[in-house]
Amino acid sequence: MGYKVLSGLAAGLLLPLRHRWPRLAVLLCMPAMAGGLGWAAILVAMFRLGRVRPKPPELAGWVLLTCVVAVAPVLITQSLTPGSILLTLAFVVLSAGAPAVLGLLVALREQLAESLQRLADAGEVVAQAKAEMAKSEERARIAREIHDAVGHHVTLIAVESAALGASSGEASVREAATRVRGLAKQALEEMRTTLGLSSSTAEAEAKTITDLVGQARASGVDVELTGELEHHEVPGAVERAAYRVVQEALTNASKHAPGAGVRVDLSNRADALRIVVTNDAPDAEPITELTGGAGLEGLSERIRMAGGELDAGPSEDGGFRLVALLPQDS
């Protein structure tokens, strides 16, 4: 085999180097260009060189070097007319420059597509952020309206209770008025905390289930509490959920079974907290003015989101039984 064939085969075999070292691949194809059979390899190598997006002066330098290596042997070995020389130069410049420019355009197109994709992704993120901001603003507006409407009436209850206690001469009336005023203030504070409008960073002054049972007893509800939460062992989220469970159960017992005895049993297991609240059959008619709520549904959803279970329904003796299981890792 002659030099032309050997150099052309070598250039073809060395082309895989263009993926890692495109400039080296162009240099290794130069001997084949001088032999006259390196055009196929140099076209591929120059296209790859354009894909790595070198600076325009550098790319022009590689095109010029390729043209010199390709044209010099022809000018040395052959006698060409000026017109033939110009045509040869034009052909070589076009042949060497076209694949390099095409590779550069492909690389720019890919970069533009990536930029457009990032822009689209950024637009989606901005749209989601705006939607979340709108939701937050709407929640804040609703929270303020609830606070203004309900808070107004709860405040009036507290004021009227204070006025009743101050004007009454009976100790039992003053005691009941003071208790109603305290419950109204606590309800207002809990509402503010739930709606995120409380000035304190903590969730209302932490009330325990024992305090809750004490308030119910002071209101005339016959409540028996067995078991106690160990605060250093029970996670805060579990403790708050347990508080709401007992609170809702006592509220329902007061509304639907007035005069009935209520039993609250707390069982703090290793894996879960079990709360059982039962009440006897009612001794009087339910307080119809306070019925129609959706407390159990909301409580069930809250416990489900915490990974627990809630079972509530009538008991065999005509009362009501509520059982809640709250996992300790919630």
Side-chain angles (χ1 to χ4, degrees):
M1 292 185 184
Y3 172 78
K4 293 182 178 181
V5 176
L6 289 175
S7 61
L9 290 175
L13 293 174
L14 294 173
L15 267 181
L17 295 175
R18 74 187 187 278
H19 296 292
R20 189 175 181 91
W21 301 290
R23 295 170 179 81
L24 178 61
V26 174
L27 284 175
L28 294 176
C29 290
M30 292 299 176
M33 286 292 297
L37 296 180
W39 273 112
I42 202 69
L43 291 177
V44 177
M46 291 297 290
F47 177 79
R48 178 58 188 172
L49 181 62
R51 291 290 304 275
V52 300
R53 295 175 55 209
K55 295 181 179 179
E58 181 186 355
L59 187 61
W62 284 105
V63 173
L64 179 60
L65 178 61
T66 303
C67 294
V68 171
V69 174
V71 172
V74 176
L75 296 179
I76 294 173
T77 59
Q78 299 182 22
S79 298
L80 300 177
T81 62
S84 298
I85 294 175
L86 290 176
L87 288 176
T88 301
L89 289 174
F91 171 78
V92 171
V93 171
L94 182 62
S95 299
V101 174
L102 181 61
L104 181 61
L105 292 176
V106 171
L108 291 175
R109 179 181 178 277
E110 291 178 351
Q111 182 187 17
L112 179 61
E114 293 177 359
S115 299
L116 291 175
Q117 184 61 44
R118 288 195 296 268
L119 183 62
D121 294 341
E124 291 181 1
V125 172
V126 171
Q128 292 176 358
K130 289 183 178 179
E132 290 298 326
M133 185 179 298
K135 291 179 181 179
S136 299
E137 292 177 352
E138 181 64 13
R139 293 192 192 102
R141 184 189 65 80
I142 294 174
R144 288 193 297 270
E145 290 185 359
I146 293 176
H147 176 267
D148 292 343
V150 180
H152 172 72
H153 296 293
V154 174
T155 302
L156 289 180
I157 292 174
V159 172
E160 291 289 342
S161 300
L164 178 62
S167 61
S168 176
E170 298 183 13
S172 59
V173 174
R174 290 197 301 271
E175 182 181 349
T178 301
R179 187 168 58 251
V180 171
R181 182 171 180 268
L183 291 174
K185 291 176 62 178
Q186 181 182 344
L188 186 61
E189 181 59 31
E190 288 190 3
M191 181 186 67
R192 287 171 176 168
T193 301
T194 303
L195 297 177
L197 300 177
S198 178
S199 58
S200 63
T201 56
E203 181 181 340
E205 291 184 9
K207 298 291 184 179
T208 65
I209 292 179
T210 303
D211 297 332
L212 193 61
V213 170
Q215 290 178 353
R217 287 172 178 166
S219 299
V221 181
D222 181 14
V223 186
E224 178 185 352
L225 175 64
T226 58
E228 187 176 353
L229 299 183
E230 294 292 339
H231 299 289
H232 61 281
E233 296 180 357
V234 180
V238 174
E239 188 173 354
R240 290 191 294 272
Y243 181 90
R244 294 305 180 192
V245 169
V246 177
Q247 185 181 50
E248 180 64 26
L250 292 177
T251 300
N252 286 340
S254 300
K255 290 192 300 184
H256 303 291
V262 182
R263 291 171 297 282
V264 179
D265 178 63
L266 305 177
S267 178
N268 191 8
R269 303 176 180 177
D271 58 341
L273 173 65
R274 186 171 186 264
I275 305 171
V276 180
V277 182
T278 58
N279 63 263
D280 300 329
D283 293 339
E285 291 295 324
I287 305 176
T288 56
E289 292 83 355
L290 300 177
T291 60
L296 281 179
E297 289 79 358
L299 186 62
S300 177
E301 177 66 16
R302 177 170 185 158
I303 293 178
R304 186 188 65 80
M305 292 180 64
E309 299 178 0
L310 178 68
D311 181 29
S315 58
E316 295 180 356
D317 60 356
F320 197 83
R321 186 170 187 265
L322 182 148
V323 181
L325 284 176
L326 292 167
Q328 293 283 33
D329 57 351
S330 65

